[in-house]
Amino acid sequence: MPKLLLKFNAAVIKEVAMDKPSLTVGRKDDNDIVIDNPAISGHHCRLSMEGGGYYVEDLESTNGTFVNEKKIKKSGLHHNDVVGLAKHALVFLNEAEAAAEAANQPSSDATMVLTPQKQAELVAASSASAKPAGPEKQGWLRILQGVVDVNEYELKGMSTYIGKSDRVQIQIKGSGLFGSAPEVAASVHRKPEGFVLVAVTEGYPLVNDVKVAGSTVLKEGDMIVCGSTKMMFELRDAAPAK
């Protein structure tokens, strides 16, 4: 089954399965995919399956719909195509189409001859990939005020999302600069350089009283504020593997 990755700038907000004949995208709550952004029209575009293929159609949106950076009225969709919606994007993933394309690629029975240097490079790359990515210590967010569901949250996944949506891991409350809290205010991603906070709604999250417009690597003791919810970032020793 094809799926969509909803992204804001470089951050993946959520994954949506194409499990219906059509999905609508827009700012209003009656859409299948709701994007809480004033640059998105109430009903912005529609993604649908027609005759065995997949298509995206602009619904006369104010700022337009783009496929691979080209403005469209209606366009077919293929594996890895990017549907642009203001600063958001929907990446269309169709593994069945990708597998079919791979099967049609010409094969070769010839054996590749590796030089000693190339063999050493492959061994080094294999050793590097075997090492666990990300920081050695485990990240936690401890809720200091504005608790909604939990008092603390372990950042054990590759990505953790913060907002008022019931689909995020950490729900917040309160208003602030943008009025009511956004569906997704920020996200924290586990990367080789550490835990990185990304402002999904630019300027809404504060780290140590500074507005975040892009991303920032979190440090032990950093104070994160989203609306009326205040959190502290902590690094703790990871639990031993069982």
Side-chain angles (χ1 to χ4, degrees):
M1 178 187 300
K3 60 185 178 182
L4 302 161
L5 297 181
L6 176 61
K7 302 179 69 176
F8 182 85
N9 293 333
V12 176
I13 299 174
K14 64 181 175 180
E15 180 179 303
V16 181
M18 287 280 293
D19 54 0
K20 298 170 60 177
S22 69
L23 298 174
T24 58
V25 183
R27 196 175 68 253
K28 292 187 176 180
D29 291 337
D30 60 351
N31 289 281
D32 298 290
I33 302 175
V34 178
I35 301 178
D36 186 12
N37 187 314
I40 301 296
S41 295
H43 298 98
H44 200 102
C45 68
R46 178 188 296 113
L47 298 103
S48 58
M49 180 176 66
E50 301 175 21
Y54 292 88
Y55 297 84
V56 58
E57 178 182 4
D58 183 72
L59 299 178
E60 298 184 357
S61 65
T62 300
N63 292 309
T65 301
F66 298 77
V67 173
N68 300 330
E69 300 184 352
K70 293 183 179 179
K71 192 172 184 178
I72 57 95
K73 286 293 184 182
K74 186 173 182 178
S75 174
L77 286 176
H78 300 283
H79 183 62
N80 274 335
D81 278 350
V82 178
V83 179
L85 310 164
K87 290 188 177 182
H88 288 76
L90 287 166
V91 182
F92 179 74
L93 300 178
N94 189 344
E95 299 298 339
E97 180 184 8
E101 290 180 356
N104 291 330
Q105 293 295 321
S107 60
S108 172
D109 293 330
T111 300
M112 179 184 295
V113 178
L114 299 177
T115 65
Q117 179 181 357
K118 187 64 176 178
Q119 291 179 4
E121 291 175 355
L122 290 175
V123 170
S126 176
S127 299
S129 63
K131 296 179 180 178
E136 294 180 359
K137 288 197 171 185
Q138 185 58 45
W140 288 75
L141 288 179
R142 183 153 57 92
I143 315 300
L144 302 179
Q145 67 182 48
V147 176
V148 175
D149 284 328
V150 295
N151 292 318
E152 59 181 16
Y153 190 89
E154 182 180 3
L155 303 171
K156 55 187 176 181
M158 295 303 295
S159 299
T160 300
Y161 296 95
I162 304 167
K164 74 174 183 181
S165 170
D166 57 6
R167 298 182 181 180
V168 304
Q169 288 90 345
I170 301 178
Q171 287 189 304
I172 62 174
K173 62 182 180 180
S175 54
L177 180 63
F178 289 82
S180 62
E183 292 292 310
V184 182
S187 55
V188 180
H189 303 270
R190 186 184 179 99
K191 296 187 176 183
E193 63 267 32
F195 290 88
V196 179
L197 181 137
V198 176
V200 178
T201 300
E202 293 192 9
Y204 189 88
L206 305 178
V207 175
N208 301 327
D209 296 325
V210 177
K211 295 178 182 178
V212 180
S215 63
T216 183
V217 178
L218 294 173
K219 302 181 295 298
E220 172 81 21
D222 277 352
M223 304 299 297
I224 302 167
V225 176
C226 290
S228 298
T229 301
K230 186 174 184 179
M231 298 161 274
M232 176 185 287
F233 174 73
E234 298 179 347
L235 287 172
R236 304 179 187 174
D237 292 331
K242 296 182 179 179

